[in-house]
Amino acid sequence: MTLENVYNAIDSNSNIDSNVKEDIKKLITIFNKTFPNIDLSNFAKRVNNLKIEKSNKYLNKRVVKYNFNTNVLEFNIEEINKGYDMKHILMHGLLNVISSNDVQSGFNYNDKFKALNAGYTEILTNNLVGNDGELSYLDDEVVSTNMIASMIGNDVLFESYFSNDTNKLVQALVNEGVEG
């Protein structure tokens, strides 16, 4: 899948404002330059009818949340207005779209490894676009994820995340003596 095909999929979505489409294209370009071996076919399929919605703290406690079942990317506007970097938060959300299939996001299957998945998404986000906001995001999850990465290797997390292979992650943890 070429980047041009991905741009066309973004442009074909009538649910997304044109300014937001341009922001998404910029971020996907950064992602693709950093990780050229990650196939964006799944993202192109999902972005075709992705809905972006505003929410509040009563509906979504996180700053950004992606629901792969409904293909809705939600932004908690009350939280964002507290000083988060919107480019950073949008990239975090897009990584969830990129790493989702029809049953899970990243290696978070049935909310198992939810915090680890969020922490790894945040690590990737920081590496891709940094964070120019007044507030950092998911600090505790990032620290925990870094500790696990030092045990099992970042390559295992990377491969598990982008291939939705929870079993690979579990096996690596078991091999290190961590049992559920």
Side-chain angles (χ1 to χ4, degrees):
M1 164 108 1
T2 68
L3 210 47
E4 193 62 36
N5 294 123
V6 176
Y7 294 158
N8 291 337
I10 294 166
D11 285 334
S12 73
N13 187 329
S14 60
N15 298 317
I16 302 175
D17 175 81
S18 60
N19 291 330
V20 176
K21 286 179 183 179
E22 292 308 311
D23 291 340
I24 292 171
K25 287 179 189 177
K26 288 176 189 171
L27 294 175
I28 287 302
T29 301
I30 291 168
F31 176 86
N32 186 253
K33 283 182 181 174
T34 307
F35 303 119
N37 294 330
I38 300 297
D39 182 18
L40 290 172
S41 300
N42 180 57
F43 176 78
K45 180 183 91 173
R46 290 181 170 282
V47 79
N48 227 0
N49 61 359
L50 178 72
K51 291 187 178 105
I52 297 177
E53 298 179 355
K54 296 176 184 175
S55 65
N56 60 46
K57 65 183 177 186
Y58 301 110
L59 298 172
N60 174 18
K61 297 208 183 293
R62 292 198 176 215
V63 178
V64 60
K65 180 173 92 175
Y66 176 64
N67 183 326
F68 59 84
N69 290 313
T70 60
N71 202 26
V72 172
L73 187 58
E74 261 181 66
F75 293 93
N76 181 333
I77 298 306
E78 295 168 6
E79 287 297 314
I80 287 174
N81 290 335
K82 291 180 179 177
Y84 288 98
D85 176 0
M86 191 57 203
K87 180 169 104 175
H88 179 90
I89 297 302
L90 180 56
M91 179 58 92
H92 186 99
L94 293 176
L95 282 167
N96 281 295
V97 178
I98 292 167
S99 70
S100 290
N101 60 23
D102 293 333
V103 295
Q104 70 190 68
S105 180
F107 41 71
N108 177 23
Y109 181 71
N110 284 339
D111 283 342
K112 303 231 179 346
F113 304 111
K114 184 177 182 177
L116 183 63
N117 196 75
Y120 194 67
T121 304
E122 185 60 9
I123 289 169
L124 290 171
T125 303
N126 282 323
N127 288 333
L128 288 165
V129 296
N131 187 351
D132 293 331
E134 297 170 21
L135 299 173
S136 59
Y137 189 50
L138 301 173
D139 290 336
D140 292 341
E141 288 86 346
V142 167
V143 169
S144 299
T145 302
N146 277 323
M147 289 174 31
I148 290 173
S150 69
M151 283 175 37
I152 65 172
N154 188 54
D155 58 326
V156 172
L157 289 174
F158 185 87
E159 291 169 26
S160 299
Y161 184 84
F162 286 110
S163 66
N164 305 106
D165 191 349
T166 305
N167 291 330
K168 181 178 188 110
L169 173 63
V170 169
Q171 188 58 52
L173 290 167
V174 168
N175 290 347
E176 288 299 320
V178 178
E179 295 185 33

